[in-house]
Amino acid sequence: MIPQPTSACRRAASPLLWWRGICVCLLLLLTGCATTAPTVPPQRSALAHWTPSPNFNARRAQLIVLHHTSIGNMEASRRVLSRAGGGNPVSAHYLIGDDGTIDQLVDDRDRSWHAGAATWAGVTDINSSSIGIELDNDGVAPFSSAQIQALIRLLADLTTRLGIPKQAVVGHGDIAPGRKNDPSVQFPWATLAQYGYGLWYDQPLIPAPPAFDSLAAMRLVGYDVSNPRAAIIAFHRHYRNMETEMLDATDASILYSLQRKLMAPR
Ligand SMILES: [Zn+2]
């Protein structure tokens, strides 16, 4: 038989038991938090039961957008593209220096902040569907051979590894006509085309049919033609290394070639 405490003992033991109970509860809470909290990967919701379906594809970038930094100084470009907070934080997945150095600033799976307000082929949230590549350049000087060769190597890597079509390489000026002009008229799109990157026309050019609609062809290529003048300047910068605003017969021939390529059966 277990001896029962006297009422005096019960009065003396009560505060001790009370504190011990509090301590045990706190300990259980702490250890419980540490051992029973679910470990949920950040890309899944802790609110839902994970019941996986096999029917899905990885979401991936569909477009590569080229820029020039307008800075022409690699260290300053790194600082601008990595600056946290502030009024207008920007970034890009890659930064290529004048000497061909390639920095990666954002994971390919993540959304870098490089495009801003832009439209291409009717898509407006370009940041969510693209890889952004900044070329360190002041917007006036020619792009160095080392920088272009590094870009071509990076494009080969990205289009192979991420499955982005080789033709899906455009400039910031193409997707934001009237607002952006990079990469500048100095950019060698024809050189990229020799390696198969970007949409390019066949040569020799042949004349477009008399009723050919150049603006409709520009829309088919991907340009937002709601401001025709801005779209034509962007098209000229990309395809003719100039920034004039009147379409001519050569433009019509180029666009006719691009249209035939896009509409050819695959
Ligand atoms: Zn840009």
Side-chain angles (χ1 to χ4, degrees), residues 67-69 74 95-102 134-138 141-154 187 192:
H67 306 253
H68 68 228
T69 59
M74 191 66 169
L95 169 65
I96 304 180
D98 191 56
D99 63 355
T101 302
I102 304 175
E134 289 277 0
L135 302 165
D136 185 42
N137 177 276
D138 64 4
F143 295 84
S144 74
S145 173
Q147 191 174 41
I148 297 304
Q149 289 305 313
L151 171 62
I152 289 167
R153 288 195 301 276
L154 180 59
F187 187 76
L192 255 62

Side-chain angles (χ1 to χ4, degrees), residues 17 23 39 54 105 122 137-138 159 172 181 225-226 245 251-252 261:
L17 287 171
C23 289
T39 51
L105 299 92
N137 177 276
D138 64 4
T159 52
H172 200 186
N181 67 350
V225 297
S226 57
E245 56 189 74
D251 295 322
K261 286 183 112 171

Side-chain angles (χ1 to χ4, degrees), residues 65-70 114-115 133-134 171-173 179-183:
V65 180
L66 308 182
H67 306 253
H68 68 228
T69 59
S70 300
H114 64 96
I133 301 176
E134 289 277 0
H172 200 186
R179 192 177 73 81
K180 292 291 179 180
N181 67 350
D182 61 312

Side-chain angles (χ1 to χ4, degrees), residues 103-116:
D103 286 2
Q104 181 163 8
L105 299 92
V106 176
D107 192 300
D108 293 333
R109 294 169 300 183
D110 292 331
R111 180 180 185 272
S112 74
W113 305 343
H114 64 96

